Structures are given as C-alpha cells and as structure tokens.
C-alpha cells in the first residue's frame, strides 16, 4: 500500500519552525501560547493558561534498546511462568505475581526474525496506520506482502472498553465503572475474557481498552469508562480485566496514558502533576497493567507538565518503558501524534495514521522513513518500534492460522461484502446480568422495604424506566438520553443487541406475582405524576445522569457533565413522587456521583438503589436486586458528596481556541475520599459504601509475615526496604517481584448475622505515620465472601511491600516510611470494624 506522506512543503515548514525554536541541537524547543484574555462564557473568569510548551528539537537522537527487566527465574506458587492464554487462576485474594518474561522473550525472538526480512519502508508501515476510514476497523495497520511466508497480515484495532463498537451480534457489557463497583475479581476477569473472545471472534487484534484514568473530577465526561476514583481499586480492576481480555486472545490497550481527566479542551490542556502524585495515584493502574502483560498502551491527547503526552520522554520512556519495564508498544490516541520526533520519546505507532482525519499526510509514514534515512532517528529505534508491535501479535498467538479475518465494516453498516453478521455473543448476556446486579449499590433501605415482598400494586415513574424513543441504538454512539440509561456516549460504546428496560423486566416479574403494575414516563408532568402514584403500595421513580466524549453534545453537555444534578428535572420528579406516596423507591442510572441532598432524607423515600450503567440487561439486573434474587453487594467506587464544592477539583473551563489551559493537580495525593478524610468533610455516602439485605460481623483479626521462595534471591533489596532505604531505579524496578510478592497477610472472621444469603466486601485501609505525608488512610486491599445466614468464614487480604511504600522523588524509588504503619479492615472507608499494626 502507499505510505501516507507529509507534503514536502509542510515537512520543510515543520523542520524550519523546530530549528528556529531551538537555540542549538541539544537544547529543548518551545512554542509560545497566547495568554487567555477572554472566556467562552462571560460568567467564567479567564482560566490559567500555559505560556509555552515543549517541542522535541529535530536533531539526531541515538538509541539503545532497553534490556528486559531482571527478575528471578519463575517460582511455582509465587512467581509462576505465565502467558496470556495461561494467566494465574482467579482468586479473591491474589498471592502470586505472574511472570510474563518467558512469553515476551519468545515473542520477541519471533518478531525480530520476522522484521529482519522487512524493508525499511515495510518496518515504517508496521508503525503507521492507513488513515481514517481507509480500512475496515477504526484503526488499521497495513499488511506486509506476501502475507504468507515473509510477510505479515497487519492489525485491526477497534473500540471499545465495553464491547465491539460498530459491529452487530455483539454484547453490550456493563461499563467499567460498574465492573469496578462489584469489587469482585472473578466478575472482572470473566467480563474481560468474554469481551476478548468477542473481539477475536470478529477478527479484531487490538481492543482499545480498558480505560483506567482516575476519576479525579466527578464531572469528567468519560469517567464511566474507567474504574473509579481510587488507584488501588482501579489498578486491580485493570489487572483482572486485562488478564481476562488477553486470555480471550485479543491484545489489550491500556488507556489513556496519562492524566486525562476532562473532555473540555482535551487536546489543549496541560495536566501539571508532581512526580510523587503521578507515581502513587495516576500511574498505578498502568503499572498493574504492565504486570498483567498488557500488549499495548495508548498515550493521551493532553499535555503533561507542558509536553504532549505522545511525545513525553518522561512518561513514555523513563517511567513506562524503563521503570515499569513495559515490553509492548505505545500507540497514539487518534490524531494525538504531534511530530515525527515523537518516536524518539517512546511513541511506537501513530493512529489512525494521518495528521488530521482524511488529510493523506502523516508524521510517520514517508517522514519517518526520511528521518531514519538521514540519521535523525536511528534505524535501531525503528527496529525497536516494529519489533514491539509484531511481538505483541506473537504474544497473543495471533499468528495462528485459525485467527479470524475481520468480518465487519466499522464505517459502513450496510456493507454486505464485509459485514458477515457473525454472532459472537454466546451466553454472555448471563454475566452481563450478573455484573449488573453485583454492581447495583443499596444506599438506603428503611424498615426492610427491599427486597419486595407482598406488594400488590406498584407504579414506575420517569423516562429512565422505559425504552428509548428511537430504539436502543437510535442515537449515534449513544449520544442521546430519553429512556433507560445503560451506557454513556462516545467511542467507549458499542451497539446494543437488545436493551431490557425496567418497565419490561418488572412487568415480566409482576406476572408471576400477580402484582398490579402501572407507569408514568413523562418526567415533567408533575400533576400527572402525583395522580399516578397516589394509592399505590410502592412507587419506583427512575432518574439518570449521562456524559461522554466531547465530539457529541447532549442537552448542552459537551462531554463533561455541566453539573452533578439528575437529568430531566430528576430532583423535582423524585420530590413529587415522594410527596404523594409514602413508600417511594429511587433508582438511579448514572455515569457517576450526583448531589442528592434535595431528597435523600425525605421520610417517604424508603429505599435508594444506585444502578450505574449496567449494559444490555439493565432491567433484568434491577429485578434481581428488587426481588432479592441477588442480595446487594455492590460498593461505591467513588464518594457521593453533599455539595459539589466538597470535591477537591472542578472542571477548568473558558479560554480561547488558542489557549493551553493549565490544570494544576494542587490536591496532590488527596483525591476523592482521601480529600474528604483529610479535610474532615462528611460525605453523603463514602467511598466503599453499600448496604446489604443481610448484616455481617467482623472479628478475630491477625496479621502474619509471609515468607516467599524468592526472598533469598532478593534478600539485599528486602533488607534495604525494611531499613527504610529506597529501591534503586533500574529497568522494571517498580514492577519487581520482591516489591509485589506477598509480604504480610491479614486474616479475620466474617459472620453473616442476618437472614439472607449474600456477599460482603471487606476493605483494608493502610494508615501511614504522619511524617510520611500520606492521606489519613489509603485503600490497599479488598476481598469478597459469600455467606449463608449464620455462616462464618475466615477471610484473608494479602499485602505486599509496594502497598506499604511511598514514592521517594529524590531517590526515584519506593521506600518504606519511618514509623508505625497500621491498618483497619471494614465495610467501607468510614466503617472500620477491625484494626492492627504491620510488623516493624
């Protein structure tokens, strides 16, 4: 195929501009930015902006490939050899650190042999997408011909983190935020596995997910694609999801690396983050992704400390590839490549290939060829780029002759030549329903209103109870909201095969019980609502709140949510129902937290269910909770505040189209519940909160030191850590075995003291000494148990040295702080039941 090329006069202009900006070949260049003098809204003050940003100078850059991370040989039971198709077994308390090094080494050997037969242009093509809408998938790497023999078939890259976008006969899985709300590793792994199987079944090589950006701002438009507001929970969710996806045969792509947190001006904002916060908060889910053997990482649109993420040597080369020991490839977000020189900063692949959609120009392609030929970029670096990409293909076994061809056209649903309508759904709807129920959080339940028993008449109120007016896929990329909300909007979506509304599911259940059912779906006819709910034994009122990606605006929300109130006049709707029915149950389908103070304490509101965005089985999952087929076990993956101003950060708005907005992470380590704890702010519902139809008692806590087979191998590093010395910075030093192997085990009893079988989610929070400068408590462990009434189980939560460490900026290593480190185990971040001290 013809390589995309940058027109010669454009290339010359870029070269001249870069050279003119750089005083010498060894001095960094910068680009001036006009300071903001105006705002997009007269109500907004001028936002802070950057005056310059870094541009990589065009001058020769030497390259030496990184060695593989150094660790002991595989150790059965502690550090077992693993491959994507043979991950460690699912455990509610993982105690092994999988060793993907042998699998990567074998893949690298094959990849190096393969690219040795490629020409310079062919190696460049491996790194360069074919351009927007020039292939069947949203991203396409061209083949090297002949495909059989010396060649290679190329890659299909496809959204989204919850299912195969733009394809039919696929499952619409629960969003990432719901999977995190289960706090259940088995469900996280299974969801990943089933998604991976569906992507492979459609011929996709790379699934563009999971998304793991921390929900720093409650209004962030794409928070729902990720796993919430805590780095540990997000890291475990990312880890299990990736293990599952890659077991299913698809390459996972961890995104968006890094510090992407709002949709407004997402390509024109600099996230300014200190090094300790970067390591302890925002980097952690990506570190865990590397430990899961992730094949690919996607760099984000924003700048990081005045340098674009996709040409940021600090985050790409120094942290991800060196410190974390990442052996896969880094791809750009779509049109997030800013120069050919980005390759020297660690970028391995540009997507979708063209500079702007349809421009027929590329920073890679012809220009990367030229830069290699003239010695500006070392050919050894190009070899490294191509090797990483092809090695990931081998790592996932995608060289197998049975790997399917792409069987859909992402850009033309009516293309009957390529759309083969292959059904990959299997029985995956079952786990969608299960995760939907497991992620539903019971916030309030007065006098055991739920589960429903003996209710002879009920009514459902609110548009969120019913079907979408245009059908489940009537709005492009789900960019509309007039029925039950089961996913947000944007590239993080896929097509519903069907969407079960609460109206449909509750009626089906009512037929079994001979319950009289009515409904009223007009959100704004308050007189009609009042009349409808009077005389009913129960009124269930449905509200929602939506968000998504910035290229779609819904009801004035340009991706990010304008506010944290329920949509469609939800507060007034709830108050109207509650004023006219003394047994009002509220169900919320929301992408994130809402301010619920106007109604949460109303005496007629007897129960609140927080259902999130649970995917295609939304109604069925809800019925399972309402009627007690599933005892609520979901827990909040973020804090629900009493006031929006209680959160530690807000959207940064305003400015002109030319401004680079400054987004200063001034809250540092104090994100979400960490901020509420430190500032002594009482939330409405705290992080980790969730009720059950049963009750649970905790007792008999013990903590013990764990001895591992590798301790002798790493004895010096372990001794230094115990003495309070930071670990040395080397390749893979932050993912080293000794740092992540079990160090301590906390054991305790949990008894179901209620009348219902159900699950409990014990959570372990670490309390560092005050001198460490940490938040009052940080989540560092959780597990899940299912118990019959009266049953007691012994639970364990294993803690490693990394979880008891802080980042030493000066030493660039993890260090155990001086002083006593304690812990609490409880049912939420503000419901401690047991406490203890880790051995000194």
């Amino acid at each position: 195929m013809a390589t995309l090329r940058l027109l010669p006069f454009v290339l010359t202009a870029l070269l001249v501009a870069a050279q003119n900006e750089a005083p010498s070949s060894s001095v960094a260049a910068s680009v001036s930015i006009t300071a903001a003098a105006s705002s997009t809204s007269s109500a907004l003050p001028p936002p802070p902006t950057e005056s310059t940003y870094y541009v990589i100078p065009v001058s020769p850059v030497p390259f030496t490939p990184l060695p593989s991370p150094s660790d002991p040989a595989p150790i059965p039971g502690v550090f077992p050899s693993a491959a994507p198709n043979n991950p460690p077994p699912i455990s509610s308390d993982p105690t092994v650190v999988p060793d993907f090094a042998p699998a990567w080494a074998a893949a690298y050997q094959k990849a190096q042999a393969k690219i040795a037969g490629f020409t310079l242009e062919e190696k460049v093509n491996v790194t360069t997408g074919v351009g927007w809408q020039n292939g069947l998938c949203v991203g396409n790497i061209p083949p090297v011909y002949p495909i059989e023999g010396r060649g290679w078939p190329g890659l299909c890259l496809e959204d989204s983190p919850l299912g195969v976008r733009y394809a039919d006969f696929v499952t619409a899985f629960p969003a990432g935020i719901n999977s995190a709300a289960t706090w259940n590793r088995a469900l996280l792994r299974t969801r990943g596995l089933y998604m991976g199987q569906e992507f492979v079944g459609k011929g996709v090589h790379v699934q563009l997910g999971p998304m793991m950006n921390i929900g720093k701002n409650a209004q962030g438009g794409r928070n729902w694609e990720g796993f919430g507001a805590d780095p540990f929970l997000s890291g475990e969710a990312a880890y299990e999801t990736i293990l599952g996806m890659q077991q299913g045969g698809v390459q996972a792509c961890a995104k968006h690396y890094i510090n992407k947190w709002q949709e407004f001006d997402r390509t024109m904002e600099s996230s300014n983050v200190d090094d300790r916060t970067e390591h302890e908060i925002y980097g952690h889910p990506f570190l865990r992704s590397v430990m899961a053997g992730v094949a690919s990482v996607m760099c984000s649109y924003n700048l990081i400390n005045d340098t674009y993420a996709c040409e940021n040597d600090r985050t790409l080369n120094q942290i991800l590839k060196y410190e974390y020991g990442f052996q896969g490839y880094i791809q750009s977000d779509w049109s997030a490549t800013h120069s050919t020189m980005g390759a020297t900063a660690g970028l391995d692949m540009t997507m979708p290939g063209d500079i702007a959609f349809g421009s027929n120009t590329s920073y890679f392609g012809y220009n990367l060829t030229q830069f290699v030929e003239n010695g500006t970029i070392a050919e050894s670096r190009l070899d490294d780029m191509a090797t990483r990409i092809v090695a990931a293909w081998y790592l996932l076994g995608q060289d197998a002759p049975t790997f399917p061809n792409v069987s859909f056209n992402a850009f033309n649903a009516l293309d009957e030549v390529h759309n083969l309508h292959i059904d990959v759904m299997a029985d995956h709807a079952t786990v969608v329903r299960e995760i939907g129920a497991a992620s539903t959080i019971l916030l309030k339940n007065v006098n055991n209103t739920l589960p429903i028993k003996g209710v002879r008449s009920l009514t459902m109120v609110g548009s969120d109870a019913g079907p979408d007016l245009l059908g489940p896929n009537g709005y492009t990329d789900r960019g509309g909201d007039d029925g039950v909300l089961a996913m947000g909007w944007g590239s993080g979506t896929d097509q519903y095969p069907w969407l079960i509304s609460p109206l449909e599911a509750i009626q089906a259940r009512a037929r079994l019980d001979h319950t009289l059912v009515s409904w009223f779906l007009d959100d704004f006819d308050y007189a009609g609502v009042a009349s409808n709910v009077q005389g009913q034994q129960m009124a269930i009122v449905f509200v929602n709140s939506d968000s998504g990606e910035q290229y779609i605006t819904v009801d004035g929300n340009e991706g990010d949510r304008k506010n944290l109130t329920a949509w469609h006049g939800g507060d007034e709707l709830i108050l109207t129902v509650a004023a006219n029915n003394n047994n009002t149950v509220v169900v919320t389908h929301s992408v994130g937290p809402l301010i619920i103070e106007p109604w949460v304490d109303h005496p007629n509101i007897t129960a609140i269910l927080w259902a999130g965005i649970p995917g295609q089985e939304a109604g069925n999952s809800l019925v399972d909770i309402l009627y007690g087929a599933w005892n609520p076990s979901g827990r909040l993956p973020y804090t629900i505040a009493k006031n929006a101003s209680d959160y530690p950060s807000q959207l940064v708005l305003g400015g002109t189209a030319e401004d680079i907005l400054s987004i200063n992470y001034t809250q540092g380590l104090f994100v979400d519940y960490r901020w509420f704890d430190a500032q002594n702010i009482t939330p409405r519902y705290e992080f980790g909160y969730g009720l059950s139809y049963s009750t649970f008692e905790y007792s008999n806590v013990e903590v013990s030191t764990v001895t591992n087979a590798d301790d002798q191998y790493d004895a010096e590093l372990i001794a230094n850590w115990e003495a309070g010395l930071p670990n040395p910075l080397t390749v893979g030093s932050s993912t080293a075995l000794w740092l992540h192997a079990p160090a301590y085990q906390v054991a305790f009893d949990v008894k179901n003291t209620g009348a219902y079988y159900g699950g409990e989610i014990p959570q372990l929070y670490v309390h560092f000494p005050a001198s460490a400068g940490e938040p009052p408590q940080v989540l560092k462990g959780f597990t899940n148990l299912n118990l019959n009434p009266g049953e007691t189980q012994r639970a364990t939560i294993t803690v490693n040295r990394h979880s008891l460490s802080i980042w030493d900026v000066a030493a660039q290593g993890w260090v155990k702080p001086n002083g006593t480190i304690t812990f609490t185990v409880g049912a939420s971040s503000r419901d401690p039941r047991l406490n203890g001290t880790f051995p000194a």
Side-chain angles (χ1 to χ4, degrees), residues 47 177 223 243 275 362 488 544 600 790 824:
I177 196 66
N223 288 355
L243 288 178
D275 192 51
S362 179
N544 69 34
V600 63
T824 53

Side-chain angles (χ1 to χ4, degrees), residues 356-718:
F357 290 178
S359 68
N360 198 36
T361 62
S362 179
Y363 286 122
F364 281 18
Y366 173 79
N367 291 296
L368 180 55
T369 302
Q370 293 295 102
F371 274 46
V372 172
E373 287 182 338
N374 67 27
T376 305
I377 295 176
E379 186 167 1
S380 59
R381 170 61 187 131
L382 174 61
D383 290 344
D384 178 59
M385 295 161 71
T387 299
R388 286 173 174 270
I389 294 166
V390 176
W393 179 75
Y394 278 118
L395 180 76
L396 271 296
Q398 294 176 346
D399 57 319
T402 55
F403 195 89
N405 294 321
V406 178
S407 59
F408 64 98
N409 186 336
F411 303 106
N412 184 0
L414 301 180
D415 175 6
E416 292 300 322
V417 174
H418 296 101
N419 286 328
L420 303 183
H421 310 296
I422 294 175
D423 186 341
V424 295
M425 295 186 290
D427 62 349
H428 299 164
T430 302
V431 79
V432 172
R433 181 170 181 167
E434 187 173 352
I435 293 173
S439 61
T440 298
I441 303 157
L442 180 64
L443 297 181
K444 182 178 180 179
N445 195 25
V446 178
N447 296 326
N448 299 316
T449 296
L450 299 178
I452 294 173
K453 289 182 178 179
V455 173
R456 302 291 290 159
S457 66
L458 65 81
T459 186
M460 290 171 277
V461 176
S463 61
D464 185 73
D468 290 83
L469 298 180
L470 303 182
N473 300 310
Y475 294 101
T476 300
D477 292 341
R478 314 297 75 78
D481 178 26
D482 59 19
V484 60
L485 183 68
M487 67 175 72
W489 74 75
S491 66
T493 63
D494 73 345
Q495 302 285 100
Y496 291 108
W498 57 76
L499 176 55
I500 305 299
S501 70
L503 181 63
E504 177 183 354
I506 289 175
Q507 285 192 92
R509 173 57 196 242
R511 287 198 294 269
L512 299 178
D513 298 337
H514 288 203
T515 302
L516 304 180
V517 175
S518 61
W519 60 84
F520 198 92
L521 304 186
D522 189 330
D523 295 314
F524 297 101
D525 182 354
Y526 301 125
V529 167
S531 176
N532 175 266
V533 303
Q534 290 172 8
Q536 301 285 345
Q537 278 188 277
M538 176 178 286
I540 308 177
V541 55
F542 293 79
V543 296
N544 69 34
S545 179
D546 203 356
S547 71
E549 199 166 355
Q550 57 81 33
Y551 68 90
I552 296 175
T553 298
V554 180
D555 195 23
N557 297 266
E558 299 176 355
D560 306 307
R561 288 190 285 170
K562 292 186 296 184
N563 50 52
L564 294 179
T565 56
W567 284 31
H568 311 300
D571 290 346
E572 187 64 28
L573 180 67
I574 292 170
L575 289 170
T576 300
V577 174
N580 291 278
N581 188 288
N582 64 4
N583 189 20
T584 296
V585 175
V586 177
V587 174
T588 297
H589 288 109
S590 179
V591 292
L594 293 174
I595 302 304
I596 59 178
E597 294 309 296
W599 48 266
V600 63
D601 285 328
H602 195 292
N604 287 347
I605 294 179
T606 55
I608 302 172
L609 287 173
W610 204 262
I613 42 178
Q616 68 188 46
E617 302 294 321
N620 288 331
S621 297
L622 182 64
V623 162
D624 289 343
I625 293 290
L626 286 171
Y627 288 87
W630 188 285
N631 188 347
S633 58
R635 301 293 183 264
L636 284 173
Y638 45 68
T639 296
I640 296 179
K642 291 186 175 181
N643 302 287
S645 59
D646 289 344
Y647 290 108
S649 67
Q650 311 295 326
L651 297 177
V652 176
L653 304 174
T656 70
E658 292 77 30
D659 294 326
I660 300 278
L661 301 182
S662 297
I663 299 182
N664 301 313
Y665 285 39
T666 53
Q667 69 284 341
L669 302 176
F670 298 86
V671 177
D672 197 77
Y673 69 93
R674 302 165 182 233
W675 172 264
F676 285 78
D677 293 344
Q679 299 296 317
N680 198 27
I681 300 170
T682 301
R684 170 51 64 179
Y685 293 113
E686 70 269 18
F687 175 83
Y689 177 85
L691 299 176
S692 169
Y693 295 152
S694 205
T695 55
F696 299 90
E697 180 182 274
Y698 293 56
S699 63
N700 301 326
V701 65
E702 294 179 332
V703 59
S704 58
T705 301
V706 178
T707 301
N708 295 306
D710 76 301
D711 287 353
Q712 185 174 0
Y713 176 90
D714 290 318
E716 183 177 354
L717 290 168
I718 293 171

Side-chain angles (χ1 to χ4, degrees), residues 129-158:
V130 302
W132 183 243
Q133 296 190 358
N134 289 334
L136 295 175
C137 305
V138 297
N140 304 270
I141 293 293
V144 173
Y145 294 106
I147 293 174
E148 299 296 332
R150 67 170 291 274
W152 179 67
L155 298 175
C156 163
L157 301 90
E158 187 69 20

Side-chain angles (χ1 to χ4, degrees), residues 69-382:
S70 176
D71 261 320
I75 304 170
V78 179
F79 190 50
S81 183
N85 64 357
N86 183 32
I90 298 172
S91 172
S92 59
D93 180 27
T95 57
V96 301
V97 181
D99 180 13
F100 286 96
W104 273 115
Y108 261 70
Q109 186 175 22
K110 293 176 182 177
Q112 288 164 347
K114 175 65 72 175
I115 72 158
F118 290 178
T119 66
L120 176 62
E121 289 78 9
E122 287 169 341
K123 287 185 288 188
V124 166
N125 278 0
V126 170
T127 72
T128 309
V130 302
W132 183 243
Q133 296 190 358
N134 289 334
L136 295 175
C137 305
V138 297
N140 304 270
I141 293 293
V144 173
Y145 294 106
I147 293 174
E148 299 296 332
R150 67 170 291 274
W152 179 67
L155 298 175
C156 163
L157 301 90
E158 187 69 20
D159 297 313
S160 78
L162 60 68
V164 187
R165 186 183 181 204
Y166 295 148
D168 57 11
F169 294 98
V170 299
T171 302
F173 288 91
I177 196 66
N178 274 63
S179 68
T182 69
W183 294 62
N184 185 306
R185 290 182 172 89
L187 291 177
L188 286 159
R189 180 84 69 92
T190 302
R191 172 179 175 268
L193 173 63
Y194 288 175
M195 287 196 301
Q197 290 172 344
E198 293 200 10
F199 274 83
V200 169
K202 288 290 190 179
V204 177
H205 298 94
V206 186
Q207 178 180 352
L208 300 175
M211 197 283 262
M212 57 198 70
N213 295 124
I214 301 296
K216 172 179 177 288
N217 189 301
Q219 294 170 249
R222 297 181 72 178
N223 288 355
W224 56 272
E225 295 182 38
F227 301 119
D230 178 77
F232 185 87
L233 177 61
S234 295
E236 296 309 288
Y239 175 83
E240 294 292 351
T241 301
I242 289 166
L243 288 178
M245 287 167 58
Q246 297 199 159
Q247 184 180 4
V250 75
Q251 298 180 40
C253 176
K255 68 180 189 182
H256 308 87
Y257 187 74
I258 189 172
N259 308 127
K260 184 184 184 303
W261 72 288
Q262 73 174 42
E263 287 299 289
F264 179 77
D265 265 8
R266 63 182 183 177
T267 65
M268 295 290 284
E269 61 96 346
S270 179
S271 295
N272 301 322
V273 193
D274 69 272
D275 192 51
R276 180 172 174 182
T277 298
E278 193 76 289
H279 278 79
E280 294 190 25
I281 304 292
Y282 302 101
H284 182 77
F286 293 95
L287 178 150
R288 289 294 282 153
S289 299
V290 172
M291 296 183 68
V294 71
S296 173
V297 171
M298 180 190 292
C299 51
S300 52
Y301 283 123
N302 51 283
L303 297 92
I304 304 159
N305 298 328
D306 303 331
T307 301
Y308 272 105
C310 287
E311 49 185 39
N312 193 306
D313 180 76
R314 172 62 181 159
T315 56
L316 302 184
N317 278 333
Q318 295 178 36
I319 295 178
L320 184 58
K321 289 185 175 179
Y322 187 83
E323 181 192 320
Y324 292 179
F326 175 55
Q327 297 185 69
Y329 61 94
I330 299 171
Q331 61 171 283
S332 73
D333 204 336
W334 269 229
S335 298
T337 303
H338 288 270
S339 72
T340 309
M341 293 300 293
T344 66
L347 182 63
D348 300 302
M349 177 191 291
T350 186
M351 275 288 137
D354 34 17
I355 294 175
F357 290 178
S359 68
N360 198 36
T361 62
S362 179
Y363 286 122
F364 281 18
Y366 173 79
N367 291 296
L368 180 55
T369 302
Q370 293 295 102
F371 274 46
V372 172
E373 287 182 338
N374 67 27
T376 305
I377 295 176
E379 186 167 1
S380 59
R381 170 61 187 131
L382 174 61

Side-chain angles (χ1 to χ4, degrees), residues 448 631 692-699 749-760 785-793 827 831 833:
N448 299 316
N631 188 347
S692 169
Y693 295 152
S694 205
T695 55
F696 299 90
E697 180 182 274
Y698 293 56
S699 63
D749 291 335
V750 178
K751 181 179 181 180
N752 184 342
T753 54
Y756 292 90
Y757 171 83
E760 175 70 345
L785 305 129
N786 296 304
L787 300 99
N788 289 306
E791 182 184 3
T792 298
Q793 289 184 23
D831 186 8
R833 306 289 183 88

